[in-house]
Amino acid sequence: MLTLTELKTLLATPQRIVITTHHKPDGDAMGSSLGLYGYLIQKGHHVRVITPTDYPTFLHWMPNNGDVIIFTEQQEQAAKLVDEASIIFCLDFNTLSRINELGELVRAAGAKKIMIDHHLEPEDFDDYRHWDINACAAAQLVYDFIVNQLEDQAGINKDVASCLYTGIMTDSGSFRFESATSEVYRIAANLIDLGAEHWKIHQLVYDNSSENRLRFLGYCLSNKLEVLREYNTAIISVTKEELAEYHSVTGDTEGVVNYALSINGIRLAALIIERTDKVKLSVRSTGDFPANEICKKYFNGGGHRNAAGGASEKELTDVVNEFKSILAEYKEQLIA
């Protein structure tokens, strides 16, 4: 493992750096990645961000987004960059399976691997780790890495501040989750002082839907929402035909599960979607109910206590029925 001193020495001279993040990146994944990118290019490093897959168009406004390489679209170039890198930053994930085929390239690379993450149970593939499960976002940890570990707040310009603010805002549920501590608010305030236009960022992320996305949301709430009051649980399930009917693109299902969780008295919500390769689950909970436990135990996934995900090779109907059958095991906690 690298020490911080050794890492700072390494970063003191120009390096070939790759930054990567998890499959289907969200606001925190892209905010932390592009925030770190914006910082490192100021220091003279040769840097590229490589995402395993595409990501929502409502994140494309972020500074330096045009420099991002999507692995599924540019595999040869991405593989070459990973092979030639001296440092690979792994942001907002802690197991290489989260970056799909890119994971094996990263594992085989001779580069020093730096993990910056806030998820449970990290895999031991890294050479340096800045990891805290109590952080509300990977972007918060990137901020801490720059300001407190590298001692370089001056390196956070408006572009970097805007990206990091985006990551913190989205992963904290616009600062409404329990993880949005007073320290998170102080960091957000500092990022605003450093140039992040908080009102504009919120508008670009949350008030930037396509007509299809809004109609799809309406359809889900009107036709697909199932409320199980005996378990204080709500479920939305969507077939691949329904996705096609509304011309759904990456990002269109983002946040749908939160509407189910917002129903009065609901403690657990799941969005269960039939994708082309498998059925995906997004699970959310309130209080101390362990959404991550359900995903890890039954659906090959995991995540945070109140926000987790999983997947299954079974048919959609079977996955929905399995999810419902699990609820009896947790009934005491759900109705407490």
Side-chain angles (χ1 to χ4, degrees), residues 22-96:
H22 60 74
H23 168 89
K24 293 295 180 184
D26 55 9
D28 187 28
M30 295 311 301
S32 57
S33 296
L34 288 169
L36 183 61
Y37 174 93
Y39 170 75
L40 292 171
I41 58 173
Q42 294 178 70
K43 303 301 171 183
H45 300 292
H46 178 79
V47 191
R48 295 306 295 264
V49 174
I50 302 174
T51 62
T53 60
D54 64 349
Y55 48 96
T57 56
F58 58 77
L59 298 174
H60 288 190
W61 61 269
M62 282 196 283
N64 300 307
N65 179 74
D67 293 336
V68 174
I69 292 173
I70 299 171
F71 179 75
T72 51
E73 299 174 8
Q74 298 163 279
Q75 291 192 26
E76 193 173 319
Q77 183 184 4
K80 187 172 186 291
L81 288 166
V82 169
D83 184 60
E84 293 175 347
S86 53
I87 300 174
I88 299 174
F89 280 92
C90 300
L91 306 186
D92 202 28
F93 72 95
N94 61 24
T95 102
L96 291 175

Side-chain angles (χ1 to χ4, degrees), residues 107-243:
R107 191 187 300 280
K112 297 297 183 184
K113 297 157 186 95
I114 315 302
M115 179 196 297
I116 301 181
D117 182 60
H118 63 138
H119 295 90
L120 294 165
E121 301 175 352
E123 178 188 348
D124 291 325
F125 67 84
D126 50 316
D127 298 292
Y128 182 84
R129 182 177 302 176
H130 187 41
W131 174 68
D132 183 358
I133 61 170
N134 295 312
C136 81
Q140 177 186 346
L141 292 174
V142 170
Y143 173 92
D144 185 63
F145 177 69
I146 294 170
V147 172
N148 296 316
Q149 295 205 335
L150 300 184
E151 301 175 290
D152 191 15
Q153 179 169 301
I156 300 182
N157 59 20
K158 180 177 180 177
D159 284 353
V160 175
S162 298
C163 292
L164 296 183
Y165 185 93
T166 302
I168 292 171
M169 177 191 75
T170 52
D171 241 32
S172 67
S174 295
F175 304 96
R176 75 181 189 275
F177 296 160
E178 186 181 348
S179 59
T181 62
S182 58
E183 176 62 18
V184 171
Y185 275 90
R186 281 189 284 271
I187 291 171
N190 194 33
L191 291 172
I192 291 170
D193 289 341
L194 292 168
E197 296 175 300
H198 59 97
W199 56 273
K200 186 176 182 181
I201 292 170
H202 192 280
Q203 183 181 45
L204 287 166
V205 172
Y206 294 116
D207 302 329
N208 199 11
S209 294
S210 67
E211 181 181 341
N212 282 335
R213 185 187 184 201
L214 215 56
R215 291 189 183 278
F216 172 72
L217 172 62
Y219 173 76
C220 287
L221 298 180
S222 178
N223 297 280
K224 304 298 293 185
L225 175 65
E226 186 175 1
V227 179
L228 306 173
R229 285 291 178 186
E230 66 271 36
Y231 296 115
N232 289 332
T233 295
I235 300 171
I236 297 172
S237 61
V238 182
T239 67
K240 57 187 176 185
E241 289 80 16
E242 288 165 331
L243 291 175

Side-chain angles (χ1 to χ4, degrees), residues 297-309:
K297 191 173 178 181
Y298 295 102
F299 298 108
N300 307 302
H304 304 291
R305 182 183 63 193
N306 298 130

Side-chain angles (χ1 to χ4, degrees), residues 235-279:
I235 300 171
I236 297 172
S237 61
V238 182
T239 67
K240 57 187 176 185
E241 289 80 16
E242 288 165 331
L243 291 175
E245 181 182 349
Y246 285 90
H247 307 285
S248 180
V249 297
T250 297
D252 280 0
T253 61
E254 186 93 14
V256 173
V257 67
N258 296 323
Y259 286 91
L261 191 64
S262 71
I263 299 169
N264 183 36
I266 294 301
R267 294 205 65 202
L268 178 67
L271 175 65
I272 306 176
I273 301 178
E274 181 185 29
R275 299 291 185 183
T276 52
D277 55 340
K278 59 185 70 175
V279 172

Side-chain angles (χ1 to χ4, degrees), residues 100 308 335:
N100 303 347
I335 66 174

